Amino acid sequence: MKTLVKAFVLCTLTCVAFTSRAQIVNSSRPTLFKNVSASFAVTTMELDKAFIVKEGSQVQLNFANNFTFSGVVVSSVQRYGKLSNIIIKSPNLHNTLLSISRRVNDDNSVSYVGRILNEGYADGYELKQGSDGKYAFHKIKTEDLIQDY
């Protein structure tokens, strides 16, 4: 009898292990940037252009590979004289947000960070500085950043 119970428990645990799907990410969201390259360069001059525009104004940023991001500046904040943040909302890309931060470092050099995200889509871009000092947007999977509820 004990052997039969052990065999039943072993079969049950094996079935549960094979049918369990924990920790498997299945994104039900579509991709927004499937026709855009995995990365594209951006000049600091184009990034600075975003910080000149006032909140509520229209802006168009032209990046490499003919990628254009146009929209309305929904937030423009200057903090401590050394940190500026801007958020641009693009109705052309289903209300996708472009967020860029510009920081003046202690040595008076300027650093940028940013992202292009839309919580309804499975992809986006992150702004990174390469080892050569140039900036580029690199494609990311948003499920790594945004959790579904």
Side-chain angles (χ1 to χ4, degrees):
M1 188 69 164
K2 288 183 180 182
T3 308
L4 186 60
V5 171
K6 288 180 184 178
F8 177 73
V9 169
L10 181 63
C11 287
T12 304
L13 288 175
T14 304
C15 289
V16 168
F18 281 120
T19 60
S20 122
R21 294 181 182 231
Q23 302 297 320
I24 297 173
V25 177
N26 291 328
S27 177
S28 61
R29 296 179 290 177
T31 57
L32 180 62
F33 300 107
K34 63 183 168 191
N35 296 328
V36 183
S37 64
S39 66
F40 52 87
V42 58
T43 64
T44 56
M45 188 170 70
E46 199 67 24
L47 292 172
D48 282 332
K49 190 168 108 176
F51 291 95
I52 297 169
V53 181
K54 296 184 188 247
E55 194 170 315
S57 300
Q58 224 19 54
V59 66
Q60 180 174 326
L61 302 174
N62 300 310
F63 303 128
N65 298 349
N66 295 324
F67 182 73
T68 301
F69 193 94
S70 61
V72 177
V73 176
V74 293
S75 175
S76 180
V77 179
Q78 172 85 27
R79 297 186 192 267
Y80 315 115
K82 291 191 171 197
L83 179 64
S84 301
N85 298 312
I86 191 158
I87 299 173
I88 303 167
K89 187 176 190 177
S90 176
N92 299 341
L93 294 171
H94 308 283
N95 294 324
T96 297
L97 299 175
L98 167 61
S99 172
I100 304 172
S101 296
R102 176 177 65 184
R103 183 181 71 205
V104 179
N105 302 316
D106 292 336
D107 63 353
N108 287 331
S109 63
V110 178
S111 300
Y112 298 91
V113 294
R115 290 193 173 134
I116 300 174
L117 294 175
N118 188 323
E119 67 180 16
Y121 291 89
D123 58 348
Y125 284 92
E126 185 171 25
L127 180 65
K128 293 184 180 180
Q129 185 176 22
S131 58
D132 59 356
K134 296 182 180 179
Y135 287 92
F137 278 103
H138 299 279
K139 195 174 277 192
I140 56 173
K141 294 179 181 177
T142 56
E143 59 255 0
D144 296 341
L145 304 171
I146 302 172
Q147 292 184 359
D148 292 332
Y149 298 115

